[in-house]
Amino acid sequence: MVKKRVDGREMNELRPIKIVPSVIERADGSAYLEWGQNKMIVAVYGPKEMLPKHLADSQRGKINFIYRMAPFSVPERKNPKPGRRDIEISKVVGEALSHAVLLEEFPGMVIDVYVQILDSNAGTRVAALTASSVALADAGIPMKDLVTAVAVGKANGNIIADLNKYEEDAEDAVDMAFAMLPGSEEIVLLQADGILSEDEFDKAIKIAKEKCQEVKKLQIEALKSKFKALKE
Amino acid sequence: MVKKRVDGREMNELRPIKIVPSVIERADGSAYLEWGQNKMIVAVYGPKEMLPKHLADSQRGKINFIYRMAPFSVPERKNPKPGRRDIEISKVVGEALSHAVLLEEFPGMVIDVYVQILDSNAGTRVAALTASSVALADAGIPMKDLVTAVAVGKANGNIIADLNKYEEDAEDAVDMAFAMLPGSEEIVLLQADGILSEDEFDKAIKIAKEKCQEVKKLQIEALKSKFKALKE
Amino acid sequence: MVKKRVDGREMNELRPIKIVPSVIERADGSAYLEWGQNKMIVAVYGPKEMLPKHLADSQRGKINFIYRMAPFSVPERKNPKPGRRDIEISKVVGEALSHAVLLEEFPGMVIDVYVQILDSNAGTRVAALTASSVALADAGIPMKDLVTAVAVGKANGNIIADLNKYEEDAEDAVDMAFAMLPGSEEIVLLQADGILSEDEFDKAIKIAKEKCQEVKKLQIEALKSKFKALKE
Amino acid sequence: MIDYSYDIEMVKGRIEKGIRTNNRKDDEYREIKIETGILKNAAGSAKVTLGKTMIYAGTKLEIGTPYPDTPEEGGITVGVELSPIGAPEFYAGPPSETSIELSRVVDRGIREAKTIDFKKLLLVPKEKAWFVYVDIYVMNHDGNLFDACQIAAMAALKTTKIPKIDEDFNQIKGEYAGNLKLEKLPVLNTYSKISNKIILDPDLNEDYATEARLSIAIDDNLNICALQKGEKGFFTQEELKEIIKTSKKKYKEMRKIFEKL
Amino acid sequence: MIDYSYDIEMVKGRIEKGIRTNNRKDDEYREIKIETGILKNAAGSAKVTLGKTMIYAGTKLEIGTPYPDTPEEGGITVGVELSPIGAPEFYAGPPSETSIELSRVVDRGIREAKTIDFKKLLLVPKEKAWFVYVDIYVMNHDGNLFDACQIAAMAALKTTKIPKIDEDFNQIKGEYAGNLKLEKLPVLNTYSKISNKIILDPDLNEDYATEARLSIAIDDNLNICALQKGEKGFFTQEELKEIIKTSKKKYKEMRKIFEKL
Amino acid sequence: MIDYSYDIEMVKGRIEKGIRTNNRKDDEYREIKIETGILKNAAGSAKVTLGKTMIYAGTKLEIGTPYPDTPEEGGITVGVELSPIGAPEFYAGPPSETSIELSRVVDRGIREAKTIDFKKLLLVPKEKAWFVYVDIYVMNHDGNLFDACQIAAMAALKTTKIPKIDEDFNQIKGEYAGNLKLEKLPVLNTYSKISNKIILDPDLNEDYATEARLSIAIDDNLNICALQKGEKGFFTQEELKEIIKTSKKKYKEMRKIFEKL
């Protein structure tokens, strides 16, 4: 008998993902993303002049990445003010995104990337990163590649892809946020909590890389369908 | 038997009003106002350069109106920090005041109008607006007219002028803040809470307009007595 | 039988004091100070350009003095945010320090002096002031004299020097923070809480002045040992 | 991006000639689309588009202590977030005064109409009652945020489920005791005065050209339950009368939308 | 507006020659006027003018939990607000360090003199006691805010009524159980040192020219109960002695003002 | 002051040639010095120097209410303060995002290794448990704050005494019921990638030249218990493998330091 996960998925099966670019009229680029129960909107504004000017870098542009969760997006109502978790995620996900963008083309400028989580069930940061690179492409920002992200980890003794909240609460749960540039396999995001042996880590990375290629196809399809729609 | 109100007033009778301009030596203009139990001081500083400069409007000046209640000015001690109510009142009363001031004469500048409520018993925002236009006149700011304000509304089935706190707590209470330029009858403030029929609304507006003319006389008298005092 | 204090000290005996200059590599000047149980580090950065510029004084420099207590430095854990006490101490101690520094030599500039209290047991502000003037000297900031500070006061009917926490909690306790320039005996800090007669005050000041001369020697020794170390 | 290149004077000129985008009439709303029940962690949720203005609203219920002056009542809190996603002029940070006014006008329209019977939210007198939090996100700003936010709030509230609780008053995850009952269905209508014309539901260009704004909440009995004038212009008494008449006329049309939810 | 056009050097020159505005003596206060009981929502209230410096103070009493280290005591909190009404250099926003120093010096003078017996504020040991909030607004700043604020605080406290409470410890609106008792009547005197002269009660021009400032609180037994030196200058021991002597002399004069309230 | 005059390109050039200051090897830590028990008001305390990076850490224990989802557990809170004492680029004010990331990485390394058994901190189920606060001050920043702060946190925790309490759950001053027990001794290792080389424990110059950073926490069983990649560069899978191997090798060396405390 083949073991399955609580929601019927295979060990390395992703939850259903839906990506729709160009959903916010006033933004320079945007994307709506569903990933299992997770729902979010990303908007990109810029490149534009960095203000106040003393924060600008005369050599290259900057990504200002802001991740926020709505009060109703989690089981217990969240305070509307950004918490320490929001700020940490904004920092590391923004850094991961920065690697892909050709920032040297925007000296002294900033690109604002805002993510609003509307509903959540584990894995919002990798979903946000995946959606953000679609929104950047939608905005026409030059990038060396998309950034593609997945969570991998461990629950109940199995190394699995794309944990849900129930699995994240397992006694032995490990949640690992992973992102790479799918062309070069350059790893730009890696955050993990929980106990993993070296072998388990290797296995998790292997799955993560495979799954990123799968997610990348969805990103490309979403962008293609937009440009197709534009042509028609 | 003629019905009267709990404090003995007629249905459309205002509480006693006292206005004294020029009470704050260091301000460019000021006024002290008592309206029933309400007591407040308004000070005007400006016109002066708007800082930071990027907030300035090169075509016209701005009114920066700030309304604050002292912790001891209400039955339950108020937190000294401004609340959401203070901020909303500051915005709408400031907009009402702006209509009367010849802002095109002060491009790029700002006029600060500060109101401090010291004691309160319903109707502070209309009292603040009434006092503010006296303080602006006291500061010599050119205006097309004074702004004159009253509260009207409903309590215990009657359409009445100038509700007190007791009346505001009636089951069917409606409190409507109203302000106009008494010369042109241009309505610049209108805020209402509570249930009013169309007919009741018309009646309330009619009373409000009459009462504004009454209040206007008190504003003019206060200003005259000041200039008279100056001449002597 | 000679009366002694709870910790065995004479009435006008200071607790052991240890001063070590130049403890923070990245600072322009610094000092570590132990005074009884009190432990703290002071760092000096500057003189440097005052920003934002509109806060600068074109005639003379400014001291920006910041006093902070670590959450673990007091018996009950302190909130890490600065409280009203921290802010008041920063103001008055900074003013006391300003008198000694030749601020006219730094027009438009600022010298930052940061004090972090790591452990405490009464008298941290005078200890901070004493340490700060060593750190300023360590930074090579020109001063007309050191500033030297002690606490004096009253406990259980005695006028005493350098109260500890236990003595500060006496029914009749008076705590008086005192600082002077030891050369000219110019008094630059004086803060007292609690009831003192005029005679007691005179006696306390007399002790304070004597004790300052004692503390000054320790400041000088600390600075000398540093310059000696440098020469070797 | 929506093209906002034409200037305020051009908008005024068009309004004077009675021309609105897509030949809209002065008292006509843009197309309204509502989806509800879209967010699982929210007790109630809605996505509303009013023309190109896009709003998300979600509700949460929490148990709290009744206020001392209403010991047998729960309560409601409405917050509007002008998300930086929704417009280049919005920024991340504490609520602006625009956001606070918007929150309070939407809140008052719902509260004053007695949309929710706060007594029905009571669990234990003086001790425990339900408090309803409505959080509204402006995700694309193309004008008339007041009405769009009110519709989103009403849609989220009307589809709000009350959590089941255990004997310790802890919410049981994913189980519900029933729906929040809305006693009334108030409608908010917002008007702009531009060049002495009054138009309903201003779009973003019309918002920019607005001299005075009036928001009016109408209840099930066609009474006025809240009013808010904004901006630096003025209204005459005649204009107010006209607005009230229009709003009473619009009420049935809008109510149908709420009834269908 | 008060004319502050003449510069610090001119003030210094005048002080050196012993000239003060209105021929005031070095140890003389400007005219003090006090009105009390002027604000109905406040438990106690006062308007104080010291020359042209104008202060409003109001008190409120609230029931709170005693601190663990004083389980049988209530407490007091003093806050001074430098209202933007009172001077062009004041601004709306969180308290400045000037405002915090002012609050704390006024608070300590009153607290250290044991003006209020905190044990008498107890209602239920460890559980409930009265806490007194004194909020002080500077409405016109013409110098010496320390003494003006202290007088206003004392006047508001001395006329404070303690609310009547029901068995649930809720305040009964508009009813009072008696007056707050002041056990002591401390007086605060503030001095400026300008060009080596010491003057009492500096006005605004003198404030600007001040090299060093000393505030001293004297209690009923002519003891010192609080001291605070401020500004970047210094005092000599002899100057401190002179100040203490003057303050003891002034005590009776000022106490009379408090007694009359 | 430490001389940081040579530029990033020079650091890169040196790293490429395999040259580090003081001939340090790529996987070698700078000298580590630890003093503990240095602060009396702290429940536990440590001063740590890692080369010229200097950290103070102190702990406090307070009784609080367990979270509803862990009714039988206490907890831990780690905060890192980038004190303006420690570097000219640090400033007084609310925590920066750098400080927040640092706090959370140190916290997770300790938490995920199950260093403290939170169940042992329970006093009364659902009602009372010990909460451990670790406050860490960066007093001189010469690079690799992650590892220096983790060492300081571990040293302060390992020497933390649990206060004695009376029957009312009040702490008895200066008396202790025993030591906080550390169940595990996790080690945090931080690596910089510079010009395609991976080096352990970057000093400040190396910090500036870092393209990508990786912090990895290893537990007693040589498992990975936390990972954090930072900065705008990337790692390859091979580089990660290399880092994990080095970290497992370093674990015993570092553990000895913790064991000696």
PDB file of all heavy atoms in Angstrom, chain B residues 88 91 95 187-188 190-193 196 198 209, chain D residues 101 104 108 224 227-229 231 235 237 245 248:
ATOM      1  N   GLU B  88     -10.288  62.340  12.520  1.00  0.00           N
ATOM      2  CA  GLU B  88     -11.368  62.567  11.562  1.00  0.00           C
ATOM      3  C   GLU B  88     -11.928  63.988  11.688  1.00  0.00           C
ATOM      4  O   GLU B  88     -12.134  64.671  10.687  1.00  0.00           O
ATOM      5  CB  GLU B  88     -12.505  61.558  11.771  1.00  0.00           C
ATOM      6  CG  GLU B  88     -13.553  61.676  10.653  1.00  0.00           C
ATOM      7  CD  GLU B  88     -14.887  61.036  10.991  1.00  0.00           C
ATOM      8  OE1 GLU B  88     -15.009  60.386  12.045  1.00  0.00           O
ATOM      9  OE2 GLU B  88     -15.835  61.237  10.207  1.00  0.00           O
ATOM     10  N   LYS B  91      -9.749  66.549  10.156  1.00  0.00           N
ATOM     11  CA  LYS B  91      -9.803  66.569   8.689  1.00  0.00           C
ATOM     12  C   LYS B  91     -11.044  67.306   8.190  1.00  0.00           C
ATOM     13  O   LYS B  91     -10.935  68.254   7.406  1.00  0.00           O
ATOM     14  CB  LYS B  91      -9.802  65.126   8.168  1.00  0.00           C
ATOM     15  CG  LYS B  91      -9.853  65.022   6.647  1.00  0.00           C
ATOM     16  CD  LYS B  91      -9.717  63.567   6.201  1.00  0.00           C
ATOM     17  CE  LYS B  91      -9.509  63.465   4.700  1.00  0.00           C
ATOM     18  NZ  LYS B  91     -10.676  63.818   3.919  1.00  0.00           N
ATOM     19  N   GLU B  95     -11.305  71.057   6.447  1.00  0.00           N
ATOM     20  CA  GLU B  95     -11.802  71.251   5.075  1.00  0.00           C
ATOM     21  C   GLU B  95     -12.897  72.311   5.044  1.00  0.00           C
ATOM     22  O   GLU B  95     -12.939  73.153   4.141  1.00  0.00           O
ATOM     23  CB  GLU B  95     -12.317  69.917   4.512  1.00  0.00           C
ATOM     24  CG  GLU B  95     -11.184  68.939   4.181  1.00  0.00           C
ATOM     25  CD  GLU B  95     -11.637  67.519   3.875  1.00  0.00           C
ATOM     26  OE1 GLU B  95     -12.833  67.203   4.100  1.00  0.00           O
ATOM     27  OE2 GLU B  95     -10.800  66.703   3.445  1.00  0.00           O
ATOM     28  N   ILE B 187     -23.080  75.466   2.420  1.00  0.00           N
ATOM     29  CA  ILE B 187     -22.935  74.480   3.507  1.00  0.00           C
ATOM     30  C   ILE B 187     -21.571  73.802   3.373  1.00  0.00           C
ATOM     31  O   ILE B 187     -21.285  73.159   2.360  1.00  0.00           O
ATOM     32  CB  ILE B 187     -24.075  73.448   3.446  1.00  0.00           C
ATOM     33  CG1 ILE B 187     -25.426  74.174   3.636  1.00  0.00           C
ATOM     34  CG2 ILE B 187     -23.884  72.356   4.505  1.00  0.00           C
ATOM     35  CD1 ILE B 187     -26.628  73.347   3.261  1.00  0.00           C
ATOM     36  N   VAL B 188     -20.734  73.954   4.388  1.00  0.00           N
ATOM     37  CA  VAL B 188     -19.357  73.453   4.304  1.00  0.00           C
ATOM     38  C   VAL B 188     -19.077  72.286   5.248  1.00  0.00           C
ATOM     39  O   VAL B 188     -18.049  71.620   5.135  1.00  0.00           O
ATOM     40  CB  VAL B 188     -18.332  74.591   4.545  1.00  0.00           C
ATOM     41  CG1 VAL B 188     -18.355  75.572   3.367  1.00  0.00           C
ATOM     42  CG2 VAL B 188     -18.582  75.315   5.856  1.00  0.00           C
ATOM     43  N   LEU B 190     -21.193  68.935   7.096  1.00  0.00           N
ATOM     44  CA  LEU B 190     -22.428  68.194   7.325  1.00  0.00           C
ATOM     45  C   LEU B 190     -22.019  66.782   7.709  1.00  0.00           C
ATOM     46  O   LEU B 190     -21.449  66.045   6.915  1.00  0.00           O
ATOM     47  CB  LEU B 190     -23.291  68.175   6.051  1.00  0.00           C
ATOM     48  CG  LEU B 190     -24.706  67.616   6.230  1.00  0.00           C
ATOM     49  CD1 LEU B 190     -25.557  68.555   7.078  1.00  0.00           C
ATOM     50  CD2 LEU B 190     -25.377  67.421   4.861  1.00  0.00           C
ATOM     51  N   GLN B 191     -22.280  66.448   8.954  1.00  0.00           N
ATOM     52  CA  GLN B 191     -21.998  65.100   9.448  1.00  0.00           C
ATOM     53  C   GLN B 191     -23.177  64.704  10.292  1.00  0.00           C
ATOM     54  O   GLN B 191     -23.581  65.475  11.177  1.00  0.00           O
ATOM     55  CB  GLN B 191     -20.768  65.107  10.352  1.00  0.00           C
ATOM     56  CG  GLN B 191     -19.433  65.145   9.647  1.00  0.00           C
ATOM     57  CD  GLN B 191     -18.322  64.885  10.655  1.00  0.00           C
ATOM     58  OE1 GLN B 191     -18.114  65.703  11.556  1.00  0.00           O
ATOM     59  NE2 GLN B 191     -17.621  63.769  10.515  1.00  0.00           N
ATOM     60  N   ALA B 192     -23.756  63.535  10.041  1.00  0.00           N
ATOM     61  CA  ALA B 192     -24.871  63.107  10.875  1.00  0.00           C
ATOM     62  C   ALA B 192     -24.770  61.634  11.188  1.00  0.00           C
ATOM     63  O   ALA B 192     -24.296  60.842  10.381  1.00  0.00           O
ATOM     64  CB  ALA B 192     -26.192  63.416  10.177  1.00  0.00           C
ATOM     65  N   ASP B 193     -25.199  61.292  12.375  1.00  0.00           N
ATOM     66  CA  ASP B 193     -25.321  59.918  12.875  1.00  0.00           C
ATOM     67  C   ASP B 193     -26.753  59.736  13.352  1.00  0.00           C
ATOM     68  O   ASP B 193     -27.223  60.573  14.139  1.00  0.00           O
ATOM     69  CB  ASP B 193     -24.507  59.727  14.167  1.00  0.00           C
ATOM     70  CG  ASP B 193     -23.043  59.835  13.946  1.00  0.00           C
ATOM     71  OD1 ASP B 193     -22.618  59.896  12.796  1.00  0.00           O
ATOM     72  OD2 ASP B 193     -22.327  59.882  14.974  1.00  0.00           O
ATOM     73  N   LEU B 196     -32.995  59.719  10.433  1.00  0.00           N
ATOM     74  CA  LEU B 196     -33.794  60.911  10.138  1.00  0.00           C
ATOM     75  C   LEU B 196     -34.594  60.660   8.867  1.00  0.00           C
ATOM     76  O   LEU B 196     -34.036  60.185   7.877  1.00  0.00           O
ATOM     77  CB  LEU B 196     -32.872  62.095   9.838  1.00  0.00           C
ATOM     78  CG  LEU B 196     -32.364  63.021  10.923  1.00  0.00           C
ATOM     79  CD1 LEU B 196     -31.607  64.178  10.276  1.00  0.00           C
ATOM     80  CD2 LEU B 196     -33.464  63.549  11.828  1.00  0.00           C
ATOM     81  N   GLU B 198     -36.660  62.216   5.526  1.00  0.00           N
ATOM     82  CA  GLU B 198     -36.369  63.345   4.643  1.00  0.00           C
ATOM     83  C   GLU B 198     -36.968  64.635   5.205  1.00  0.00           C
ATOM     84  O   GLU B 198     -36.317  65.677   5.214  1.00  0.00           O
ATOM     85  CB  GLU B 198     -36.909  63.044   3.241  1.00  0.00           C
ATOM     86  CG  GLU B 198     -36.426  64.017   2.188  1.00  0.00           C
ATOM     87  CD  GLU B 198     -36.922  63.652   0.778  1.00  0.00           C
ATOM     88  OE1 GLU B 198     -37.451  62.534   0.595  1.00  0.00           O
ATOM     89  OE2 GLU B 198     -36.774  64.499  -0.120  1.00  0.00           O
ATOM     90  N   LYS B 209     -29.812  76.624   9.740  1.00  0.00           N
ATOM     91  CA  LYS B 209     -29.511  77.875   9.034  1.00  0.00           C
ATOM     92  C   LYS B 209     -29.908  79.091   9.870  1.00  0.00           C
ATOM     93  O   LYS B 209     -29.160  80.077   9.942  1.00  0.00           O
ATOM     94  CB  LYS B 209     -30.213  77.889   7.668  1.00  0.00           C
ATOM     95  CG  LYS B 209     -29.550  76.920   6.675  1.00  0.00           C
ATOM     96  CD  LYS B 209     -30.371  76.663   5.427  1.00  0.00           C
ATOM     97  CE  LYS B 209     -30.249  77.815   4.446  1.00  0.00           C
ATOM     98  NZ  LYS B 209     -30.916  77.453   3.148  1.00  0.00           N
TER      99      LYS B 209
ATOM    100  N   GLU D 101     -10.925  58.496   7.987  1.00  0.00           N
ATOM    101  CA  GLU D 101     -12.256  59.016   7.664  1.00  0.00           C
ATOM    102  C   GLU D 101     -13.088  57.933   6.973  1.00  0.00           C
ATOM    103  O   GLU D 101     -14.245  57.701   7.309  1.00  0.00           O
ATOM    104  CB  GLU D 101     -12.160  60.260   6.767  1.00  0.00           C
ATOM    105  CG  GLU D 101     -13.540  60.877   6.515  1.00  0.00           C
ATOM    106  CD  GLU D 101     -13.553  61.994   5.473  1.00  0.00           C
ATOM    107  OE1 GLU D 101     -12.559  62.146   4.738  1.00  0.00           O
ATOM    108  OE2 GLU D 101     -14.578  62.705   5.403  1.00  0.00           O
ATOM    109  N   ARG D 104     -14.326  55.279   9.336  1.00  0.00           N
ATOM    110  CA  ARG D 104     -15.354  55.746  10.266  1.00  0.00           C
ATOM    111  C   ARG D 104     -16.684  55.995   9.561  1.00  0.00           C
ATOM    112  O   ARG D 104     -17.745  55.774  10.145  1.00  0.00           O
ATOM    113  CB  ARG D 104     -14.855  56.971  11.026  1.00  0.00           C
ATOM    114  CG  ARG D 104     -13.767  56.575  12.048  1.00  0.00           C
ATOM    115  CD  ARG D 104     -13.139  57.766  12.735  1.00  0.00           C
ATOM    116  NE  ARG D 104     -14.083  58.562  13.481  1.00  0.00           N
ATOM    117  CZ  ARG D 104     -14.443  58.338  14.739  1.00  0.00           C
ATOM    118  NH1 ARG D 104     -13.906  57.338  15.411  1.00  0.00           N
ATOM    119  NH2 ARG D 104     -15.321  59.116  15.337  1.00  0.00           N
ATOM    120  N   ARG D 108     -19.977  54.006  10.581  1.00  0.00           N
ATOM    121  CA  ARG D 108     -21.181  54.681  11.064  1.00  0.00           C
ATOM    122  C   ARG D 108     -22.422  54.323  10.257  1.00  0.00           C
ATOM    123  O   ARG D 108     -23.506  54.161  10.820  1.00  0.00           O
ATOM    124  CB  ARG D 108     -20.984  56.202  11.046  1.00  0.00           C
ATOM    125  CG  ARG D 108     -20.138  56.697  12.207  1.00  0.00           C
ATOM    126  CD  ARG D 108     -20.336  58.176  12.440  1.00  0.00           C
ATOM    127  NE  ARG D 108     -19.854  58.960  11.327  1.00  0.00           N
ATOM    128  CZ  ARG D 108     -18.646  59.519  11.247  1.00  0.00           C
ATOM    129  NH1 ARG D 108     -17.783  59.370  12.232  1.00  0.00           N
ATOM    130  NH2 ARG D 108     -18.302  60.220  10.206  1.00  0.00           N
ATOM    131  N   ILE D 224     -32.583  58.532   6.306  1.00  0.00           N
ATOM    132  CA  ILE D 224     -31.152  58.827   6.304  1.00  0.00           C
ATOM    133  C   ILE D 224     -30.577  58.279   7.607  1.00  0.00           C
ATOM    134  O   ILE D 224     -31.135  58.553   8.676  1.00  0.00           O
ATOM    135  CB  ILE D 224     -30.923  60.351   6.254  1.00  0.00           C
ATOM    136  CG1 ILE D 224     -31.552  60.944   4.988  1.00  0.00           C
ATOM    137  CG2 ILE D 224     -29.446  60.691   6.367  1.00  0.00           C
ATOM    138  CD1 ILE D 224     -31.827  62.448   5.096  1.00  0.00           C
ATOM    139  N   LEU D 227     -24.554  60.784   7.381  1.00  0.00           N
ATOM    140  CA  LEU D 227     -24.181  61.772   6.368  1.00  0.00           C
ATOM    141  C   LEU D 227     -22.740  62.183   6.622  1.00  0.00           C
ATOM    142  O   LEU D 227     -22.331  62.310   7.781  1.00  0.00           O
ATOM    143  CB  LEU D 227     -25.028  63.040   6.525  1.00  0.00           C
ATOM    144  CG  LEU D 227     -26.456  63.050   5.987  1.00  0.00           C
ATOM    145  CD1 LEU D 227     -27.164  64.282   6.510  1.00  0.00           C
ATOM    146  CD2 LEU D 227     -26.452  63.024   4.461  1.00  0.00           C
ATOM    147  N   GLN D 228     -21.995  62.414   5.557  1.00  0.00           N
ATOM    148  CA  GLN D 228     -20.651  62.943   5.721  1.00  0.00           C
ATOM    149  C   GLN D 228     -20.308  63.788   4.511  1.00  0.00           C
ATOM    150  O   GLN D 228     -20.263  63.306   3.383  1.00  0.00           O
ATOM    151  CB  GLN D 228     -19.624  61.802   5.830  1.00  0.00           C
ATOM    152  CG  GLN D 228     -18.174  62.266   5.973  1.00  0.00           C
ATOM    153  CD  GLN D 228     -17.723  62.369   7.425  1.00  0.00           C
ATOM    154  OE1 GLN D 228     -18.542  62.340   8.350  1.00  0.00           O
ATOM    155  NE2 GLN D 228     -16.434  62.489   7.632  1.00  0.00           N
ATOM    156  N   LYS D 229     -20.073  65.077   4.781  1.00  0.00           N
ATOM    157  CA  LYS D 229     -19.589  65.973   3.730  1.00  0.00           C
ATOM    158  C   LYS D 229     -18.070  66.031   3.823  1.00  0.00           C
ATOM    159  O   LYS D 229     -17.511  66.071   4.929  1.00  0.00           O
ATOM    160  CB  LYS D 229     -20.205  67.365   3.920  1.00  0.00           C
ATOM    161  CG  LYS D 229     -19.857  68.385   2.834  1.00  0.00           C
ATOM    162  CD  LYS D 229     -18.748  69.313   3.295  1.00  0.00           C
ATOM    163  CE  LYS D 229     -18.060  70.054   2.177  1.00  0.00           C
ATOM    164  NZ  LYS D 229     -16.936  70.864   2.666  1.00  0.00           N
ATOM    165  N   GLU D 231     -14.173  67.376   1.588  1.00  0.00           N
ATOM    166  CA  GLU D 231     -13.500  68.274   0.637  1.00  0.00           C
ATOM    167  C   GLU D 231     -13.848  69.746   0.898  1.00  0.00           C
ATOM    168  O   GLU D 231     -14.687  70.055   1.710  1.00  0.00           O
ATOM    169  CB  GLU D 231     -13.794  67.895  -0.818  1.00  0.00           C
ATOM    170  CG  GLU D 231     -13.339  66.489  -1.186  1.00  0.00           C
ATOM    171  CD  GLU D 231     -11.855  66.234  -0.937  1.00  0.00           C
ATOM    172  OE1 GLU D 231     -11.065  67.180  -1.049  1.00  0.00           O
ATOM    173  OE2 GLU D 231     -11.491  65.081  -0.608  1.00  0.00           O
ATOM    174  N   PHE D 235     -22.066  72.601  -0.453  1.00  0.00           N
ATOM    175  CA  PHE D 235     -23.343  72.227  -1.055  1.00  0.00           C
ATOM    176  C   PHE D 235     -24.383  73.275  -0.676  1.00  0.00           C
ATOM    177  O   PHE D 235     -24.301  73.891   0.393  1.00  0.00           O
ATOM    178  CB  PHE D 235     -23.820  70.858  -0.552  1.00  0.00           C
ATOM    179  CG  PHE D 235     -23.004  69.715  -1.085  1.00  0.00           C
ATOM    180  CD1 PHE D 235     -21.981  69.152  -0.326  1.00  0.00           C
ATOM    181  CD2 PHE D 235     -23.243  69.216  -2.359  1.00  0.00           C
ATOM    182  CE1 PHE D 235     -21.223  68.095  -0.826  1.00  0.00           C
ATOM    183  CE2 PHE D 235     -22.484  68.152  -2.858  1.00  0.00           C
ATOM    184  CZ  PHE D 235     -21.482  67.594  -2.101  1.00  0.00           C
ATOM    185  N   GLN D 237     -28.566  73.936   0.041  1.00  0.00           N
ATOM    186  CA  GLN D 237     -29.666  73.125   0.581  1.00  0.00           C
ATOM    187  C   GLN D 237     -30.390  72.389  -0.555  1.00  0.00           C
ATOM    188  O   GLN D 237     -30.789  71.241  -0.404  1.00  0.00           O
ATOM    189  CB  GLN D 237     -30.633  74.030   1.353  1.00  0.00           C
ATOM    190  CG  GLN D 237     -31.687  73.225   2.116  1.00  0.00           C
ATOM    191  CD  GLN D 237     -32.561  74.093   2.998  1.00  0.00           C
ATOM    192  OE1 GLN D 237     -32.427  75.320   3.016  1.00  0.00           O
ATOM    193  NE2 GLN D 237     -33.458  73.470   3.729  1.00  0.00           N
ATOM    194  N   LYS D 245     -33.172  62.724  -2.603  1.00  0.00           N
ATOM    195  CA  LYS D 245     -34.169  62.100  -3.498  1.00  0.00           C
ATOM    196  C   LYS D 245     -33.524  61.003  -4.353  1.00  0.00           C
ATOM    197  O   LYS D 245     -34.046  59.892  -4.464  1.00  0.00           O
ATOM    198  CB  LYS D 245     -34.793  63.169  -4.409  1.00  0.00           C
ATOM    199  CG  LYS D 245     -35.718  64.081  -3.640  1.00  0.00           C
ATOM    200  CD  LYS D 245     -36.851  64.663  -4.432  1.00  0.00           C
ATOM    201  CE  LYS D 245     -37.499  65.768  -3.557  1.00  0.00           C
ATOM    202  NZ  LYS D 245     -37.693  65.419  -2.121  1.00  0.00           N
ATOM    203  N   LYS D 248     -32.805  57.870  -2.209  1.00  0.00           N
ATOM    204  CA  LYS D 248     -33.980  57.054  -1.893  1.00  0.00           C
ATOM    205  C   LYS D 248     -34.366  56.208  -3.108  1.00  0.00           C
ATOM    206  O   LYS D 248     -34.769  55.054  -2.979  1.00  0.00           O
ATOM    207  CB  LYS D 248     -35.135  57.944  -1.446  1.00  0.00           C
ATOM    208  CG  LYS D 248     -34.903  58.535  -0.045  1.00  0.00           C
ATOM    209  CD  LYS D 248     -35.909  59.601   0.350  1.00  0.00           C
ATOM    210  CE  LYS D 248     -37.239  59.021   0.774  1.00  0.00           C
ATOM    211  NZ  LYS D 248     -38.105  60.066   1.378  1.00  0.00           N
TER     212      LYS D 248
END
